[in-house]
Amino acid sequence: MKRLTTALAMSLALLLMLTACGGDDTTTTSTAAATPTTAASATPTTAGSSDTTMADVPEFAGTIKIGAAVSDTGTYAREGQDTRHGYDTWLDWVNNEYGGIKVGNDRYNVEIIYYDDEGDSDTAATLVEKLITEDEVDFLLGPYSSGLTMSTSAIAEKYNVIMVEGNGSSETIFERGFKNIFAVLTPAGNYTQSALKALADLGAKSVVIAYEDAAFPTSVAVGAEKWAKEYGMDVLAVETYPVDVSDVSAIITNFKALDPDVFVGGGHYKDALLFVRAAKEQGWAPGGMVITVGPSNPEFVTEVGADAEYIIGPTQWERTMSWSDEWFGTPEEYAVRYEALWSEPPSYQAAESTATALALQLAIEAAGTIDTDSVRQALYDLDVTTFYGPINFDETGKNVAKPMGSIQIQDGVINVVAPAEAAVAEVRYPMPPWSDR
């Protein structure tokens, strides 16, 4: 049952306690899956973020509790960190700058309760149930990955608790008839569309596809095969590999023998590193390499170095895009804010996590209550453009308003190259040999 904590004294006491502990340094990372960490504001790592003082304490009418199971450890630890930083960027802004969520004529402080899901679907589901039944959160934010979103959203549906998420894009999430799942990101089936169109326009005729045997990569691969055929490309081979694969050299060997124009790799961050390193080791440089998740992450360029050049990746968001809103401004202004908090540039996973929390906030404010049915209807009615892009949910909870972009790493810079209306640079095709980078 939804609960709105109305104890002003408790909220003020919490803020005073946090101040006594060192301003906003309230969040500690726990590696124990069953031990929650809470955040009433983000943990700043540099000077310049807001400090809560007695004079700054707003007149909150209560606290809205939000729960999230996010990977601090395990396979998705890197992406989980981005997800959490994205949520906490919004949290820092909404509590310390915006003045809390507006519910009718009142303002409410926000608390996020976190658990480490360890990258495991069963653990994530158990923790989300704990958030609902023991911590009594009012709403949920999603985990990272489609697989974990599948399991946790089933629990949210069971207890009739709204989950807004930004990191589970598999179409299967939205094909179960659930009424409490909403996603701000573009669905996985469209991840490769703009890249494959651009490459086909430049003369690419054939493609091979490898994907991890999990929900999100499977949707990416199905979409890639569809779009390749749509744009007149021959699909020479499609191979799958298990989750947590450590060696993809056999796949690369098989694909090299087929001599395709384009390679598509559908997996997660670690898989992107494996594909690039295996292709280089075997001296195989197809005309184009399109790989999900990794290339758009600034850390990818740092880890791979010059070998990252020419690699293309889908992106939900980049700081050079032209969206803007009244809350976080332009993507560049959002990126500057994020860097001040976390001392690193935001990945698109971080940006979409901030947008996820913002979408929930806007729905609560539009509803004027935290009643589940009212907020759900407000989410269905939401039609807004944010720093992250347009948000408009269909009847399944998918965001049908936002197009998917593609980036290419060019001279160490992540440039948007497709679609044409969002591009800041032209696609460089074909890739030269590895020795020429």
Side-chain angles (χ1 to χ4, degrees):
M1 184 178 188
K2 291 303 174 190
R3 183 173 64 86
L4 185 62
T5 305
T6 58
L8 171 62
M10 291 179 63
S11 178
L12 291 173
L14 173 62
L15 287 170
L16 289 170
M17 179 181 70
L18 301 180
T19 303
C21 293
D24 291 333
D25 295 330
T26 62
T27 304
T28 56
T29 300
S30 170
T31 56
T35 302
T37 58
T38 62
S41 60
T43 302
T45 55
T46 62
S49 55
S50 56
D51 291 323
T52 302
T53 66
M54 284 294 293
D56 296 325
V57 175
E59 294 293 330
F60 292 132
T63 297
I64 294 175
K65 292 170 66 175
I66 299 175
V70 178
S71 301
D72 289 333
T73 60
T75 300
Y76 306 128
R78 170 66 244 191
E79 297 92 338
Q81 175 183 286
D82 290 345
T83 302
R84 181 163 172 163
H85 283 179
Y87 291 155
D88 284 346
T89 299
W90 168 79
L91 187 68
D92 182 70
W93 169 81
V94 76
N95 278 346
N96 298 324
E97 186 173 331
Y98 184 72
I101 294 180
K102 291 184 289 187
V103 182
N105 295 322
D106 295 320
R107 293 274 187 169
Y108 285 78
N109 183 49
V110 182
E111 175 188 6
I112 299 180
I113 302 174
Y114 288 107
Y115 287 106
D116 175 13
D117 62 32
E118 302 175 340
D120 180 78
S121 295
D122 292 337
T123 300
T126 299
L127 293 174
V128 164
E129 187 162 31
K130 180 179 176 65
L131 284 165
I132 297 170
T133 60
E134 297 183 23
D135 299 305
E136 298 183 314
V137 298
D138 300 301
F139 300 99
L140 294 163
L141 299 176
Y144 176 82
S145 96
S146 291
L148 271 61
T149 303
M150 284 285 287
S151 65
T152 54
S153 59
I155 301 301
E157 190 72 11
K158 174 183 175 182
Y159 288 96
N160 195 32
V161 175
I162 290 172
M163 173 184 282
V164 185
E165 60 100 358
N167 290 285
S169 61
S170 172
E171 273 84 350
T172 56
I173 295 170
F174 311 99
E175 294 172 350
R176 298 171 291 173
F178 288 1
K179 62 181 182 180
N180 291 305
I181 181 74
F182 296 86
V184 302
L185 74 176
T186 305
N190 294 342
Y191 266 47
T192 61
Q193 179 184 6
S194 63
L196 291 177
K197 183 178 188 309
L199 293 169
D201 289 345
L202 291 169
K205 300 294 185 185
S206 58
V207 61
V208 291
I209 302 168
Y211 68 97
E212 182 186 48
D213 186 15
F216 160 69
T218 300
S219 290
V220 171
V222 170
E225 190 167 1
K226 166 191 167 185
W227 295 118
K229 293 176 180 176
E230 176 82 14
Y231 300 130
M233 304 169 77
D234 294 327
V235 180
L236 303 181
V238 179
E239 290 199 25
T240 187
Y241 57 89
V243 175
D244 292 330
V245 67
S246 59
D247 183 1
V248 296
S249 59
I251 295 174
I252 296 299
T253 298
N254 294 338
F255 284 177
K256 181 181 179 181
L258 297 173
D259 192 27
D261 293 326
V262 176
F263 165 83
V264 173
H268 293 89
Y269 184 80
K270 292 179 180 177
D271 306 352
L273 300 177
L274 290 173
F275 282 128
V276 171
R277 289 166 179 164
K280 182 181 181 183
E281 287 173 1
Q282 298 192 32
W284 179 50
M289 293 188 77
V290 181
I291 307 176
T292 58
V293 180
S296 63
N297 190 320
E299 191 170 312
F300 180 80
V301 179
T302 301
E303 286 205 38
V304 178
D307 294 336
E309 291 294 313
Y310 297 90
I311 304 299
I312 297 172
T315 184
Q316 295 277 358
W317 175 89
E318 294 296 329
R319 66 193 301 165
T320 58
M321 288 180 167
S322 59
W323 316 116
S324 67
D325 65 33
E326 61 184 276
W327 306 284
F328 288 95
T330 66
E332 176 62 24
E333 288 170 335
Y334 168 80
V336 170
R337 174 188 295 273
Y338 185 95
E339 288 171 341
L341 282 171
W342 310 112
S343 297
E344 63 179 12
S347 65
Y348 76 70
Q349 289 87 359
E352 63 197 9
S353 298
T354 300
T356 294
L358 177 62
L360 175 59
Q361 171 201 333
L362 297 178
I364 293 171
E365 292 185 342
T369 171
I370 63 166
D371 171 72
T372 298
D373 290 342
S374 299
V375 174
R376 183 190 303 113
Q377 187 58 53
L379 284 163
Y380 282 128
D381 294 340
L382 191 64
D383 186 2
V384 64
T385 296
T386 71
F387 77 96
Y388 173 70
I391 298 175
N392 183 225
F393 301 111
D394 69 6
E395 69 280 2
T396 70
K398 289 186 294 190
N399 182 5
V400 294
K402 193 177 79 61
M404 192 73 182
S406 293
I407 61 91
Q408 185 176 45
I409 299 165
Q410 301 175 339
D411 303 321
V413 178
I414 298 173
N415 283 328
V416 178
V417 294
E421 58 269 28
V424 298
E426 296 182 354
V427 178
R428 295 178 181 177
Y429 176 88
M431 293 200 309
W434 297 99
S435 58
D436 292 345
R437 304 181 192 190

